[in-house]
Amino acid sequence: MSAAVDVAPLLLPYRDRDRDRDTGSSNEIQSLVPSVPSNGPGASTPSQRLASLDVFRGLTVALMILVDDAGGAFPSINHSPWFGITLADFVMPFFLFLVGVSISLAFKKISNKTTATKKVMLRAINLFLLGLLLQGGYFHGRNHLTYGVDVGKIRWLVCAYNLQRISIGYLLASISEIWLVNNIMVDSLADLARKYYTQWLFAIGLCSLYMCFLYGLSVPTWEYEAPSMNLSGFASGTQIVYCGVRGSLEPPCNAVGFIDRVILGEHHLYQHPVYRRTKECSVKSPDYGPLPPNSPQWCLAPFDPEGILSSLMAAVTCFVGLHFGHILLHFKDPKQRVLLWSMSAVPLLVFGYVLVILGIPSCKPLYTVSYACITAGVSGLILSIIFYIVDVKHFRKPTVLLQWMGMNALLIYALGACDLFSAGLQGFYWRSPENNLVDGTEALLQAMLHSKNWGTLAFVILEILFWGLVSGFLHMKSLYIRL
């Protein structure tokens, strides 16, 4: 196996040469998601990485595994049923934010804009197709040890932490970084604004387009086919959802779902959306459960939490990451970087909560503006804190596992978060399929702790430690999975 397997665009080295001159150190920033190829515009020779970016990426991957595998046992950390923000709701914005940071570093210097654009488009397509393969329904996962998908029901945009949404954000942010940056030397904040103001106008345009559709599009009454096998007494067959409204952010009548139903089709949407855990649709809310008496017709309707319209707003998070990456590029003093990052993150966070007070609730499935601002602000603050601890104060030993995981994020995503590794292990069992190493280990921990939930949490922590050690071994062998 070669030292760098070109499989997915999660890793690209960038050497901060100006900072090396200022500090006398040799640091490299490793890209967090899609990037130009190693021999293309903006590429450089790998050396050391700026550890904080690896740590943040590794933390995001670890958090993804935690909320995915332990969210069922602890619904409070699982995705919010609709309005509000939980721990799981930060994972996707963290990924998108890091996409933006990586793009700003990957395209520091562009020798040929047309060539760079072609390579960006190719990588966006590769990302989309890889996400479709991993989470589009072909691999059914740990609890369903089969594979294959009905093409008539394949999920084009899937859910949770999908590469399709990352590919859209990557494409839009990269195109803007290639074509919408003014040729100005940056020596001050005013220069930074003049250099990138066209790019920010583009991001504001995406926000405006999203808001126009979300609040201006009239959603008509619609119908869907309820499954024949459903929860407690809910009628199967054709169900009518009465809407005829404009600007609704509730589950049944929002513009995000309407656009997806028209363009993608009902059968290509997620059939078990998070709003089934709302009080209207579950007696065990915020967990899944039987339908309450007189539950509304839309409770069993499909809805994709990573819809077409919401992906436009999600791409704006990449642009916030671009801004933080630009600060990293143009301001060399570490404490100045932390200060400028904090000055950018805190107003975003405050503005997000002001929007909530003014009546624009935080909602991940819709990716509302308030949700985007709050999660992007938190992303910026976490990057500032990790950078200060890891790269300014050089307090690295406690974060080394996360750093290793960040260096091979794609591998862990595919094998760990998408259950390919655990599903493969479950294929080897003793006499009965349930007698396998994965389920047996989890059952043993549950018995030892006398608790199903805490046993599951212990199993997930062991899983994260396992992938950290695997990543460390691959790092020592200089093996990284890339695209």
Side-chain angles (χ1 to χ4, degrees):
M1 186 176 185
S2 63
V5 183
D6 200 7
V7 177
L10 296 179
L11 308 174
L12 173 83
Y14 159 81
R15 184 179 178 83
D16 192 349
R17 292 182 178 86
D18 295 328
R19 182 170 182 263
D20 290 348
R21 289 197 296 268
D22 294 341
T23 64
S25 62
S26 175
N27 290 313
E28 179 183 327
I29 300 166
Q30 182 183 16
S31 165
L32 312 161
V33 270
S35 58
V36 294
S38 58
N39 60 348
S44 57
T45 302
S47 58
Q48 277 186 302
R49 308 174 197 275
L50 194 64
S52 54
L53 296 181
D54 283 323
V55 171
F56 193 2
R57 183 166 62 256
L59 175 65
T60 304
V61 174
L63 185 61
M64 176 175 60
I65 295 174
L66 174 67
V67 298
D68 261 4
D69 295 348
F74 297 92
S76 59
I77 69 171
N78 203 352
H79 291 288
S80 173
W82 195 252
F83 295 129
I85 302 179
T86 64
L87 185 63
D89 294 324
F90 284 101
V91 177
M92 189 73 238
F94 286 174
F95 275 124
L96 293 168
F97 175 84
L98 295 175
V99 168
V101 176
S102 72
I103 291 171
S104 68
L105 307 179
F107 293 101
K108 179 183 179 182
K109 294 179 181 179
I110 303 172
S111 58
N112 188 303
K113 292 185 177 182
T114 302
T115 300
T117 301
K118 291 178 180 177
K119 291 175 179 177
V120 162
M121 295 180 68
L122 178 61
R123 272 163 177 73
I125 293 171
N126 289 342
L127 261 182
F128 191 94
L129 293 178
L130 181 62
L132 194 63
L133 175 66
L134 292 177
Q135 287 196 317
Y138 187 80
F139 297 106
H140 296 180
R142 178 183 162 189
N143 295 323
H144 303 281
L145 300 182
T146 58
Y147 64 91
V149 62
D150 181 353
V151 177
K153 297 181 179 179
I154 191 171
R155 294 185 55 212
W156 300 113
L157 296 177
V158 305
C159 72
Y161 322 113
N162 67 86
L163 294 178
Q164 290 95 313
R165 172 163 284 184
I166 289 177
S167 72
I168 295 171
Y170 165 64
L171 177 64
L172 294 175
S174 295
I175 294 299
S176 74
E177 190 71 359
I178 294 170
W179 294 99
L180 301 181
V181 175
N182 298 312
N183 189 20
I184 297 174
M185 293 296 294
V186 176
D187 293 317
S188 64
L189 285 175
D191 292 337
L192 188 73
R194 285 195 294 271
K195 186 175 181 68
Y196 297 109
Y197 80 92
T198 309
Q199 193 176 79
W200 277 107
L201 289 177
F202 182 69
I204 292 172
L206 290 177
C207 287
S208 302
L209 182 63
Y210 167 84
M211 294 291 283
C212 287
F213 277 111
L214 185 66
Y215 287 98
L217 189 64
S218 178
V219 180
T221 295
W222 56 285
E223 60 184 38
Y224 72 98
E225 289 296 322
S228 56
M229 299 292 291
N230 57 55
L231 302 175
S232 64
F234 195 91
S236 60
T238 302
Q239 297 294 315
I240 299 176
V241 180
Y242 296 94
C243 291
V245 297
R246 190 189 312 271
S248 172
L249 302 185
E250 298 294 334
C253 299
N254 59 77
V256 172
F258 172 56
I259 291 175
D260 289 340
R261 290 191 297 272
V262 171
I263 297 178
L264 300 177
E266 173 190 330
H267 296 295
H268 295 286
L269 304 181
Y270 190 36
Q271 303 298 313
H272 304 279
V274 291
Y275 60 63
R276 292 196 183 180
R277 295 192 285 112
T278 60
K279 292 181 179 179
E280 294 90 340
C281 299
S282 174
V283 296
K284 295 182 179 180
S285 180
D287 198 2
Y288 290 102
L291 290 169
N294 302 318
S295 56
Q297 290 91 341
W298 49 264
C299 278
L300 297 182
F303 178 87
D304 214 305
E306 312 291 338
I308 297 172
L309 181 59
S310 58
S311 292
L312 290 181
M313 192 64 213
V316 176
T317 303
C318 294
F319 284 82
V320 178
L322 276 179
H323 170 67
F324 279 72
H326 295 153
I327 291 174
L328 190 62
L329 283 173
H330 298 295
F331 298 91
K332 306 307 175 184
D333 180 68
K335 293 184 179 179
Q336 187 180 22
R337 288 171 171 174
V338 173
L339 176 62
L340 293 176
W341 282 343
S342 301
M343 289 172 58
S344 302
V346 171
L348 267 177
L349 189 60
V350 173
F351 182 63
Y353 280 109
V354 169
L355 290 178
V356 172
I357 294 173
L358 294 177
I360 301 179
S362 297
C363 180
K364 178 190 178 295
L366 300 181
Y367 218 104
T368 55
V369 177
S370 58
Y371 170 79
C373 290
I374 291 171
T375 53
V378 171
S379 300
L381 288 177
I382 291 179
L383 176 61
S384 304
I385 293 169
I386 294 177
F387 176 77
Y388 184 78
I389 293 173
V390 174
D391 285 305
V392 177
K393 293 301 183 180
H394 301 288
F395 194 62
R396 297 185 178 181
K397 288 184 178 180
T399 61
V400 67
L401 280 179
L402 295 177
Q403 185 178 354
W404 290 340
M405 292 175 70
M407 292 177 178
N408 251 312
L410 180 67
L411 177 72
I412 302 173
Y413 174 85
L415 297 183
C418 295
D419 286 336
L420 296 189
F421 181 76
S422 58
L425 279 182
Q426 284 180 305
F428 298 91
Y429 55 86
W430 177 254
R431 295 184 177 178
S432 177
E434 22 331 312
N435 296 330
N436 60 77
L437 182 62
V438 177
D439 291 339
T441 302
E442 184 173 6
L444 176 62
L445 290 171
Q446 291 172 347
M448 291 174 61
L449 296 175
H450 305 287
S451 169
K452 182 178 180 180
N453 290 348
W454 289 105
T456 297
L457 179 61
F459 176 80
V460 173
I461 293 173
L462 281 179
E463 182 182 4
I464 294 172
L465 291 174
F466 169 78
W467 287 115
L469 294 174
V470 169
S471 301
F473 173 79
L474 294 175
H475 171 59
M476 288 187 288
K477 298 295 183 180
S478 297
L479 298 175
Y480 307 103
I481 305 298
R482 305 176 181 175
L483 178 63

